[in-house]
Amino acid sequence: MRAKITYAVTAAVLVVYFVLAGGRGVVLIRHGTPLTVAFGVAVLVIPLIGVWFLWKNTQFVRRANRLAAELEAEGGLPVDELVRTAGGRIDRDSADAVFARRKAETEDSPDDWRCWFRLAVAYHDARDTPRARRAMQRAIALHGGRPAAG
């Protein structure tokens, strides 16, 4: 729940920023000189890219959460079996062992979105966020019946 609240607050702050920056861009464009119009357009591009990025990330999170809910209903969510340090951090050897099992499971069933979901969790636990995201994107694509890239 804490992650959802943090995401919502961050998204709201970004939207406010996009509105403020977009307003400044419009003011610059209305000023009418070639230089201010050029700056105004440049200022408008940043919020447009930001809105697109925020939208794509929100879609990704919602789809991943739907998969998690479906997997939980099936009783297939990965069990947290990781060893933690006294400070609560995940032990690297423990994460590597779980990752090896998840990777083998995925190699045995490469078309099963459930395996890819669990592999994404293992990547995340091993602090490999880019690969975790790609594995989750593959799980989402397989769940939706779309061909999954490489």
Side-chain angles (χ1 to χ4, degrees):
M1 189 62 173
R2 184 174 153 194
K4 287 181 182 182
I5 291 170
T6 301
Y7 188 83
V9 169
T10 303
V13 168
L14 282 172
V15 168
V16 169
Y17 166 76
F18 297 152
V19 169
L20 291 173
R24 296 294 178 207
V26 170
V27 167
L28 286 168
I29 291 170
R30 284 188 179 159
H31 195 273
T33 68
L35 185 62
T36 60
V37 169
F39 278 141
V41 169
V43 168
L44 284 177
V45 168
I46 293 170
L48 291 175
I49 292 171
V51 166
W52 174 83
F53 184 76
L54 184 61
W55 173 250
K56 294 304 278 183
N57 276 304
T58 301
Q59 282 183 315
F60 173 77
V61 168
R62 291 181 72 212
R63 289 175 181 153
N65 284 339
R66 271 187 258 148
L67 293 188
E70 186 174 330
L71 204 53
E72 182 179 28
E74 295 175 356
L77 275 180
V79 177
D80 185 1
E81 54 191 309
L82 298 168
V83 175
R84 300 189 190 287
T85 65
R89 299 195 91 175
I90 295 171
D91 177 67
R92 183 72 175 177
D93 292 334
S94 173
D96 289 345
V98 171
F99 173 78
R101 286 198 316 273
R102 297 293 181 220
K103 185 176 180 187
E105 174 186 276
T106 305
E107 288 170 350
D108 290 341
S109 302
D111 295 328
D112 186 354
W113 68 266
R114 293 161 188 87
C115 294
W116 283 98
F117 182 96
R118 288 187 284 266
L119 180 63
V121 172
Y123 271 126
H124 180 266
D125 290 341
R127 298 188 182 190
D128 191 343
T129 304
R131 287 189 178 128
R133 188 172 183 88
R134 283 195 300 273
M136 188 61 73
Q137 287 169 336
R138 185 149 189 176
I140 290 167
L142 288 169
H143 182 266
R146 295 186 309 272

